[in-house]
Amino acid sequence: MIVGYQLSDLQRETLAEVFNIAMGRAAKAMSNIVNEEVLLSIPQIRMVPRSEASSLLGGPEQRVYSITQTLDGEFHADAILILPQARSMDLVRLMLGSPQQLELVTELEREALTEIGNIILNACIGTVTNLLEGQFSISLPVLQSGLCGDIIESHAARQSEEDVVLLLQIDFTVEKHSINGHLAFVQTVSSFQALLARIDRFIEKAAQG
Amino acid sequence: MSDKLRVLIVDDSSVSRMMVKNQLLSQQPDWTVVEAANGSEALARAAEAAPDLITLDLNMPEMDGLEAAVKLHEAHPQARIAIVTANIQDSMRQRVQSLGILFVAMVDKPINEAGIRKILAGL
Amino acid sequence: MTSSGPDPTIAFNSPPFSSLSSTLALGLIILEQDGRIVHWNDWVAKRSGIVADVALGKSLFDLWPETTQARIRFAIDQAITQGQPSLLSSSLNKYLLPLYEDPFRSDPVQIRQTVTISSFYMTARMCVLQIADVSAAFARESALRVQAQLLNESLERQAQIMKQLENHNDTLDSQVRKRTAQLNELAKHLQDVSEEEKTALARELHDDLGSILTAARIDVFSSAKLLAGSHPDIHAKLQRALRYLEEGIQTKRRIVEGMRPTILTQFGLAEALRYTAEEMAEVSGWTLRLTVEEDLPLSEELSLTLFRVAQEALNNAAKYSEAQCVEIILEADEHTVRLVIRDDGKGMELDAVHKPRSHGLAGMRSRVEARGGYFEIQGAPGRGVEISVSLALSQAE
Ligand SMILES: Nc1ncnc2c1ncn2[C@@H]1O[C@H](COP(=O)(O)OP(=O)(O)OP(=O)(O)O)[C@@H](O)[C@H]1O
Ligand SMILES: [Mg+2]
């Protein structure tokens, strides 16, 4: 790994905790919509160069849905929720309670998936922007479907520096139906270092009470 | 609440334990605090320290918070338990209530001054 | 609001913005930080039944109290306080805003809508609601679901009909099987009856006619002897009568033997086959190849059936085949006895089986099938004829 974007155990644990709190919030929001218990957890956090990300996401050939929101401000970052195509529509339909299952994925189902992604992404972005205490403009969610590799590639940060990906594994369960997805923050090394500095400050503040 | 209480903080995240501990001690500087990172450790610590108050996270690996609550309550019925956890859905709230244990409070993470006050008020 | 920027209420409600906004094919609502409405385009006015003049300056949550507790309120707050945009989909959020196709009807129909909520900076953070009418898409998808449902149902019905047909076929099959079994039973019964009648007739012939002929022969013989010296002419006539009687007795014996093969009842099937085959081979000049198992545990009826088949097959071979060699195989395993009669003669068209007046082959088949056995005839011109029969050793019934 390239020096400069490794996480210390304490940093990793702190990120895990703040993201898990965010997921609790997102799960509650969704649970209110569908009147079902929704479980969201983040079992793993990693930091990888962008070139390695897709292989960690089940391989570049894996067919996925992605929902992306872009942060612009002090720095640029793409927050991407990546869900395996095979099972995520089952989950959406479960949440919609669709009476009749269709072969094709309808426009409204894609829209519902976009909203689910939006809820999860907003919770995570809120966490990150709170940590960073910066001002950002955040885009509306955009749904894409395609190969995992292509989607990651299309989100290269605009700066010429090499990008790093903060990769969170997400376990998403509704009514005993689970899918494993990923949340990827694609950002530049420098913006990532700013994030690390903020985490350290957060830990410091927590220690002071 | 001038007694010097013993508090057991149970959470798998050290940052969260730290936050609860510091928030608590800033309001009750004389209290003593022990920490545990999971359910079984909590039982062991409680046996040594005989805590008056236990703060408990629900999402923990191995023994989850609900199970830990039942066992802690069985072993230490005098200890009051407060739940400090990430956003609680109605279904979870019902499960917690169905345990039949009178909890001091249920407060959201991340813990803050108001959360601590809510716990203290419940004692 | 104490700020140096332009007053948003004025900015968003005068041209060119207001004229642009009124041409949009979607709803546009702009809120200030406190939720007060600063823009309300024509699209919204038309579908809410509330004109802009009434809406402007009011809080959205006061104007539409139903939004206060809803997700939309949370999304608006999130946009205003954190700048986080939200998409509220029509399918996850059933009733978002009280907008109707025709709000003044007595039972107005609520529009299916997708609402996007985002924010931008002016004097402070402003919140923008964009509302798209997706009722048409919704109707389309509902129709699609109905179609899919119908399709599924018709597929199910089709499967059901197929299953009924199958069941019906099964019933027919089993009926055919039952009827066939009944017919076989009947044929067997008729044969048994006819065999019994033949046996009775044979006994009569043997006992009555036989003893009469024998008695007559004894009398004629002794009379002839007595008259030999004195009346040579009468003696000669009696001698001739004796020969006729002898022939009569032989004929009777042959008839009796044919009807009730004593050789079969006395010596068993193997011996009876061997005897009959050798007799005919001699007459027809065949080379015989016999592979015949002795002492098979065969019931009387079974032996008789097999013997009759062999008899008829050998008769046919003698009559038509012009064979050099005839082979007979009788063998059995635990459950089944098998008889094969094969000749190397001129063979036959298998159509010959259906010759109108030939009952031999048909009789063989019906005898065998009446006992639940298996009958097969193979043959082609120039290739000889083979008849093979398998029967269960113990009768199923
Ligand atoms: N071994 C054989 N070789 C050649 N032809 C045969 C042989 N057996 C039967 N056939 C042919 O098959 C026909 C049908 O035989 P089948 O025994 O049914 O009737 P049939 O002998 O003609 O009359 P029936 O037996 O009733 O007196 C015969 O007429 C003959 O042409
Ligand atoms: Mg014949």
Side-chain angles (χ1 to χ4, degrees), chain A residues 33-34 69 95-96 98-102 104 106-109 111-112 114-116 118-119 122-123 125-126 129-130 135-136 138-141, chain C residues 71 74 78 82-94 113-114 116-118 121 125 130 134 137-138 141 144-146 148-149 152:
Chain A
I33 297 175
V34 297
Q69 288 183 251
M95 292 175 82
L96 292 179
S98 307
Q100 183 65 45
Q101 305 284 295
L102 299 173
L104 59 124
T106 70
E107 198 43 50
L108 297 182
E109 283 169 342
E111 194 190 72
T114 311
E115 177 171 1
I116 290 166
N118 179 222
I119 293 169
N122 268 350
I125 292 168
T129 52
N130 279 346
Q135 285 292 341
F136 290 92
I138 305 159
S139 78
L140 275 160
Chain C
R71 165 156 159 68
F74 176 77
Q78 213 178 21
Q82 310 197 48
Q84 292 195 335
S86 292
L87 170 87
L88 276 59
S89 68
S90 54
S91 33
L92 279 174
N93 305 273
K94 290 277 137 55
Q113 46 202 292
T114 298
T116 52
I117 297 170
S118 47
Y121 259 110
R125 226 198 288 255
Q130 298 172 59
V134 293
F138 219 87
E141 289 191 14
L144 205 58
R145 289 212 156 76
V146 170
Q149 171 108 32
N152 264 356

Side-chain angles (χ1 to χ4, degrees), chain C residues 312 316-317 319-321 343 347-348 352 355 358-361 385:
Chain C
E312 174 60 22
N316 280 350
K319 278 198 272 180
Y320 312 113
S321 75
D343 67 59
M348 61 185 282
K355 268 191 191 171
S358 41
H359 305 296
L361 294 173
V385 170

Side-chain angles (χ1 to χ4, degrees), chain C residues 301-336:
Chain C
E301 289 88 32
L302 205 54
S303 296
L304 189 59
T305 301
L306 290 166
F307 185 68
R308 293 288 186 223
V309 168
Q311 263 185 325
E312 174 60 22
L314 290 170
N315 272 339
N316 280 350
K319 278 198 272 180
Y320 312 113
S321 75
E322 299 161 19
Q324 302 291 312
C325 177
V326 171
E327 186 175 6
I328 301 180
I329 300 167
L330 177 70
E331 59 187 15
D333 60 21
E334 245 180 293
H335 310 288
T336 322

